[in-house]
Each structure stands twice: as C-alpha cells, then as structure tokens.
C-alpha cells in the first residue's frame, strides 16, 4: 500500500509538472489529484526538491517508454531502429497536437539554473540518452549502414542536442515541420553512407 501511494503521487505529479512546470505545481494540487491525504507527502519525500529528484527518474522512464521498444526491436537494422525511435516520438507528439514537448527537456530549461541537484540529475539523464543513441550508431557502423569513420560519441551528442531543440521549436510552432527538418538532416545527410557496400 505504501509503494502504491508513492506511485500515485509520482504519477499524478508527473502529469501536472509536465503540463504546468515544476515551480508552478503545488504539493496540494498533486495530492488532490492523487486523492492522497495531505500528511502522506512528507512521509515519502522530505521536501519538494526531494520529490522533484525522484520525479525526474520517473519522468525519464515515462519519456523513454515512448520509443524504447522501437530502439531495441532487433527485427530491424540499427539505422531503421533509430528512425523508428524518432518516428514513435513524432507520432506521439502528433497525437498530442504538438503540445507538451519533452518532459526532460522542459525541466532542463526550467530547473538547471535553479538547483544543482536537479541539474546534475538532468545531466545524467541526457547522458543516458546519448549513450542509447551511440550504442545504436555503433551497431550501424558495424552493419555498414553509416560511414565507417563516423564519430559515434560526438554524433550521438549532436543528435540528442538537435532533438531537444527540435522539440522546443515544435512546441512553439505547433506543427511537425521542425521534426521533418531534423529527420532529413540527420538521416539523409549526417548519417548518409556514401561509401559502396
């Protein structure tokens, strides 16, 4: 029951923070949405910041769940898996009418200058994203789908940086134009293998 109550606080907190931001979401409204007694919050979280740090882990898993199946579906080649990964997010944002953006990216913008613990955890989450893309790129190099001299780590870093910027623009423009540009540049230029197989 205890873990179930904590899960409810995190689940409803994630939805509210995604919609309103961390600073504009009150503990009271989270507990009201979760239908949890007011005293329960501090039983699980010593402070709102402690709650926020656990929420980051929760939201990172939530965000990753959109494309994780595509990323690891070995019935597709590495490069196809990477394309499918971003396509899963594009489909998700289209369903949401291009609102919301990336939960992790939103919190990077809001909290990185306000809290070092937040910034450090966000940095770790972004590093995990980069490592995931780098792993697939390494496989793509071995499969000769991308140039053999591709700088895997730097390219993964660039792709995640470009993706976060793409989602920021998508949130502002309320259409998929920036995502289409991202896909063209990444898959038709940056990762295009011009060497004979």
């Amino acid at each position: 029951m205890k873990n179930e109550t904590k899960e409810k606080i995190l689940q409803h907190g994630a939805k509210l923070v995604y919609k309103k931001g961390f600073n504009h979401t009150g503990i009271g409204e989270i507990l009201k949405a979760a239908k949890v007694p007011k005293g329960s919050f501090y039983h699980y979280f010593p402070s709102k910041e402690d709650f926020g740090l656990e929420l980051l882990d929760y939201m990172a898993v939530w965000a990753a769940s959109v494309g994780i199946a595509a990323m690891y579906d070995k019935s597709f080649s590495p490069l196809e898996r990477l394309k499918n990964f971003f396509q899963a997010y594009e489909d998700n944002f289209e369903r949401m009418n291009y609102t919301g953006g990336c939960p992790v990216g939103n919190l990077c913008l809001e909290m990185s200058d306000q809290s070092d613990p937040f910034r450090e955890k966000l940095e770790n989450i972004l590093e995990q994203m980069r490592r995931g893309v780098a792993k697939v790129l390494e496989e793509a190099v071995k499969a000769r789908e991308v140039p053999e001299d591709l700088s895997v780590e730097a390219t993964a870093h660039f792709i995640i940086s470009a993706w976060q910027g793409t989602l920021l623009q998508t949130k502002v423009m309320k259409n998929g134009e920036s995502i289409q540009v991202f896909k063209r540049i990444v898959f038709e230029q940056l990762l295009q293998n011009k060497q004979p197989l």
Side-chain angles (χ1 to χ4, degrees):
M1 182 64 180
K2 286 184 178 180
N3 287 338
E4 185 178 316
T5 300
K6 185 176 182 180
E7 177 74 15
K8 282 173 68 176
I9 295 171
L10 287 168
Q11 180 184 8
H12 287 277
K15 290 177 182 176
L16 286 166
V17 168
Y18 183 48
K19 184 177 181 181
K20 300 176 62 177
F22 185 74
N23 288 321
H24 289 93
T25 301
I27 294 170
E29 63 183 317
I30 294 171
L31 297 177
K32 184 177 179 181
K35 296 182 171 60
V36 170
K38 288 187 177 180
S40 296
F41 184 87
Y42 292 105
H43 177 73
Y44 298 106
F45 311 102
S47 67
K48 189 181 177 186
E49 182 174 73
D50 288 304
F51 164 72
L53 293 172
E54 286 204 44
L55 189 69
L56 278 177
D57 290 328
Y58 185 91
M59 293 181 83
V61 171
W62 176 34
S65 68
V66 174
I68 200 76
M71 182 76 92
Y72 294 104
D73 185 351
K74 294 299 180 83
S75 64
F76 293 94
S77 74
L79 194 57
E80 288 172 326
R81 279 159 39 209
L82 193 60
K83 289 178 181 177
N84 293 342
F85 173 76
F86 288 113
Q87 186 63 51
Y89 284 98
E90 180 181 1
D91 294 344
N92 188 60
F93 287 121
E94 187 176 2
R95 282 193 298 271
M96 295 166 59
N97 296 315
Y98 303 105
T99 62
C102 173
V104 174
N106 292 347
L107 287 167
C108 284
L109 287 171
E110 182 185 4
M111 299 301 297
S112 293
D113 289 338
Q114 297 188 32
S115 164
D116 279 339
F118 259 88
R119 183 191 58 74
E120 289 165 5
K121 179 150 280 200
L122 286 162
E123 186 178 10
N124 288 335
I125 292 168
L126 289 173
E127 177 59 28
Q128 289 171 26
M129 292 180 183
R130 290 192 289 268
R131 282 202 300 264
V133 171
K135 185 175 186 301
V136 176
L137 289 177
E138 285 174 358
E139 293 177 32
V141 169
K142 290 176 184 175
R144 303 185 71 182
E145 289 188 296
V146 298
E148 62 181 0
D149 61 349
L150 184 77
S151 176
V152 168
E153 297 296 331
T155 302
H157 192 122
F158 173 80
I159 287 173
I160 290 300
S161 297
W163 181 241
Q164 288 297 329
T166 294
L167 296 186
L168 181 63
Q169 290 191 97
T170 298
K171 188 175 176 180
V172 172
M173 296 167 65
K174 295 290 184 277
N175 62 48
E177 181 182 343
S178 295
I179 296 176
Q180 296 308 314
V181 171
F182 169 86
K183 292 196 301 183
R184 279 201 308 274
I185 297 300
V186 169
F187 293 107
E188 295 177 20
Q189 295 185 35
L190 180 64
L191 299 179
Q192 185 68 35
N193 191 358
K194 297 176 182 176
Q195 300 297 321
L197 295 175

